[in-house]
Amino acid sequence: MQDDITLAQKIVGRSYSNISSTSTFHDHSVIYKSSNERLSNINKYLKNNKKILTVISSGDQIINSILEGIINIDAFDISTFPKYFLFLKLAAIKRLNREEYIDLFFESPTTKEIYDDLYDLIRQELNKENKEFWDSLFNYFDWYDIYNSTLFSSEFMSKKTIIEENIYLKEENYNRLKSMIDSVNINTYTGNILNLNNLYSKEYDIIYLSNIINYVDKIEYKKLLDKFNLSEKGIILTYFYEITENIRNFFNENDYTFDNFENSKSGVMVYKRK
């Protein structure tokens, strides 16, 4: 915990770089502010499930899962920082209205003191560990410095797209979500999913692995899917920004089906043991 705080302060203070020339994802890689995936096409797979294993990333996948009624969530990330951002977002939903939330996380922040006021509200909903982490940043830096440092990804997503792709950002859903968060059990794990052996024996209704396949050996990825313990109707989703013929040919067994999103090259591969 203290190591995370010290490193985050150095990253925001520009005395340490967490940008690696050899690896995009590592134990101190950036936090994504929002998902760049077409999450609105994923929601149909979330329905009628109770237990999920998913990447943390921006936290949006998890928040959408809560809205769909999933109450047991195991979440992992190779970087140590995204878990703190996830709980910051969840605390913000409980304390802020929709407009304040969108302004804080999806607008370009300024140096206005309003962000300190918003954080004062949010921190009341944080547990000791998450409060200590974010206090250590807000006590020395303003939100503009934090959000524009390499602690966070600089990848741009328009506010319009973010709102369209995340069902929890619809006003009626956002307000309903406020009362759902406390009933959810969330466990977070830090590490490479290829090595998180303690997760393989747990039973899940759905596993969402995002686009991890782009960063690992495909043969090892196949072996990974076979390791997981799924419920009777359990599935594993793999996200592709483009489903190519090479991908279809490599995953050509009966356990795999592909769902191309409408008017898009992107889609998901659905793994279900036959």
Side-chain angles (χ1 to χ4, degrees), residues 25-65:
F25 299 105
H26 51 85
D27 54 354
H28 300 129
S29 53
V30 299
I31 304 168
Y32 285 88
K33 299 173 182 177
S34 65
S35 173
N36 60 3
E37 301 168 356
R38 296 187 59 174
L39 294 182
S40 61
N41 291 274
I42 305 297
N43 295 329
K44 62 184 178 183
Y45 294 105
L46 301 175
K47 298 179 185 297
N48 302 315
N49 289 304
K50 294 301 180 184
K51 188 164 186 178
I52 189 174
L53 172 66
T54 179
V55 294
I56 302 175
S57 190
S58 67
D60 287 339
Q61 293 93 335
I62 294 169
I63 299 172
N64 286 319
S65 298

Side-chain angles (χ1 to χ4, degrees), residues 196-246:
L196 290 175
N197 300 331
N198 56 323
L199 297 179
Y200 302 156
S201 60
K202 295 188 176 185
E203 184 178 272
Y204 298 103
D205 300 316
I206 181 170
I207 297 174
Y208 185 63
L209 297 179
S210 187
N211 66 325
I212 289 173
I213 191 172
N214 291 334
Y215 304 94
V216 301
D217 179 82
K218 290 181 177 55
I219 295 175
E220 291 301 312
Y221 192 80
K222 267 190 176 181
K223 293 178 181 177
L224 172 66
L225 299 186
D226 285 333
K227 290 179 181 179
F228 287 116
N229 184 20
L230 297 172
S231 61
E232 183 180 355
K233 296 182 179 179
I235 60 171
I236 303 175
L237 300 179
T238 301
Y239 191 94
F240 289 97
Y241 294 100
E242 180 178 1
I243 300 177
T244 64
E245 283 305 308
N246 286 339

Side-chain angles (χ1 to χ4, degrees), residues 124-138:
Q124 299 175 42
E125 298 291 343
L126 295 172
N127 66 16
K128 180 180 179 182
E129 182 178 87
N130 288 289
K131 187 181 295 184
E132 186 177 347
F133 179 85
W134 289 109
D135 280 357
S136 74
L137 296 179
F138 275 92

Side-chain angles (χ1 to χ4, degrees), residues 8-165:
Q9 288 177 331
K10 288 181 177 179
I11 292 170
V12 176
R14 274 69 170 179
S15 64
Y16 174 84
S17 175
N18 61 326
I19 304 301
S20 170
S21 60
T22 59
S23 177
T24 303
F25 299 105
H26 51 85
D27 54 354
H28 300 129
S29 53
V30 299
I31 304 168
Y32 285 88
K33 299 173 182 177
S34 65
S35 173
N36 60 3
E37 301 168 356
R38 296 187 59 174
L39 294 182
S40 61
N41 291 274
I42 305 297
N43 295 329
K44 62 184 178 183
Y45 294 105
L46 301 175
K47 298 179 185 297
N48 302 315
N49 289 304
K50 294 301 180 184
K51 188 164 186 178
I52 189 174
L53 172 66
T54 179
V55 294
I56 302 175
S57 190
S58 67
D60 287 339
Q61 293 93 335
I62 294 169
I63 299 172
N64 286 319
S65 298
I66 295 172
L67 190 62
E68 292 291 0
I70 297 179
I71 57 175
N72 292 301
I73 299 173
D74 283 351
F76 68 92
D77 205 289
I78 196 170
S79 173
T80 190
F81 297 128
K83 61 179 179 286
Y84 299 111
F85 190 52
L86 165 65
F87 290 110
L88 185 72
K89 277 187 168 181
L90 291 173
I93 290 170
K94 292 170 67 175
R95 279 286 171 169
L96 307 183
N97 63 43
R98 175 178 174 272
E99 289 70 27
E100 290 170 331
Y101 180 91
I102 290 173
D103 182 53
L104 181 64
F105 293 113
F106 305 129
E107 295 279 11
S108 297
T110 65
T111 55
K112 293 179 181 177
E113 293 182 1
I114 181 64
Y115 298 108
D116 290 333
D117 295 336
L118 293 179
Y119 177 66
D120 286 341
L121 291 174
I122 294 169
R123 72 185 301 274
Q124 299 175 42
E125 298 291 343
L126 295 172
N127 66 16
K128 180 180 179 182
E129 182 178 87
N130 288 289
K131 187 181 295 184
E132 186 177 347
F133 179 85
W134 289 109
D135 280 357
S136 74
L137 296 179
F138 275 92
N139 285 341
Y140 297 99
F141 308 99
D142 61 35
W143 186 233
Y144 178 88
D145 293 325
I146 298 168
Y147 224 38
N148 285 289
S149 72
T150 58
L151 185 64
F152 287 90
S153 169
S154 60
E155 181 180 49
F156 175 77
M157 289 287 291
S158 73
K159 182 174 72 171
K160 180 176 182 291
T161 299
I162 293 169
I163 293 173
E164 287 175 349
E165 291 299 327

